[in-house]
Amino acid sequence: MIRRGVTALALMLAAMTLPSEAHDYKAGDLQIDHPWSRATVPTAKVAAGYLSIKNAGEEADRLVSVESEISERAEIHEMAVNAEGIMTMRPLSQGVEIPAGGSVSLEPGSYHLMFMELNAPPKEGERFSGTLHFEKAGSIDVEFAVEAMGAKASEGDHSGHGH
């Protein structure tokens, strides 16, 4: 009996000292899952940010703006293929709606955040802070985990919902 208690205590202490790979945040009915970015070259002027947002509420909400410590400006963007088959990127001045009971993924090749006029390039293995502003849920401070330059989805996300 004592041995089992000591083993359980040792496992709890070990779990408390391990760094957490996934990092999630909550704002009202919204859950923000694993904000991340890619490392950039030192001379880069822009970087992108990604995350997913789940809305457990009965009303839609909207991500209306974003700020970050690494950039002078930040915008919400969308990449899409136009009628001529050309990939285009445009800012979404109205933000992104998160439907009631639904979710939205900001991921490479789709909706994403653009950090512009970088103060410092994001470096792999580091984190930087940002603030997401929602129409109804208000503002929430998050940290973006910086992945490798070529990351297609967050390497640290093991949640299975494929950013």
Side-chain angles (χ1 to χ4, degrees):
M1 190 70 167
I2 292 175
R3 178 181 284 161
R4 193 176 310 164
V6 170
T7 302
L9 179 61
L11 288 173
M12 279 189 347
L13 289 173
M16 288 172 31
T17 60
L18 293 174
S20 175
E21 288 292 334
H23 54 288
D24 305 330
Y25 304 88
K26 196 152 176 46
D29 289 325
L30 302 179
Q31 179 175 329
I32 294 90
D33 290 333
H34 197 71
W36 68 282
S37 184
R38 289 184 181 124
T40 65
V41 296
T43 57
K45 302 281 189 240
V46 298
Y50 312 102
L51 50 93
S52 64
I53 308 164
K54 294 178 189 163
N55 184 352
E58 296 182 13
E59 289 185 58
D61 203 339
R62 182 174 295 277
L63 175 62
V64 293
S65 66
V66 62
E67 301 170 55
S68 86
E69 71 176 338
I70 66 164
S71 65
E72 293 298 316
R73 296 185 307 124
E75 295 178 349
I76 303 162
H77 280 211
E78 177 183 34
M79 287 188 81
V81 177
N82 69 16
E84 292 82 39
I86 298 169
M87 182 71 80
T88 61
M89 182 171 63
R90 66 183 178 103
L92 299 175
S93 59
Q94 301 297 308
V96 174
E97 182 175 289
I98 300 89
S103 65
V104 171
S105 290
L106 282 71
E107 58 193 12
S110 182
Y111 296 124
H112 60 279
L113 306 175
M114 284 299 299
F115 304 116
M116 297 171 287
E117 300 171 35
L118 292 179
N119 299 321
K123 295 179 183 163
E124 184 176 355
E126 295 183 353
R127 292 180 182 232
F128 63 88
S129 64
T131 304
L132 306 174
H133 301 281
F134 293 93
E135 197 170 72
K136 295 181 180 142
S139 299
I140 182 164
D141 294 328
V142 299
E143 278 195 330
F144 289 83
V146 182
E147 305 290 343
M149 281 190 199
K152 291 184 177 44
S154 175
E155 307 292 326
D157 177 25
H158 303 289
S159 60
H161 35 51
H163 287 265

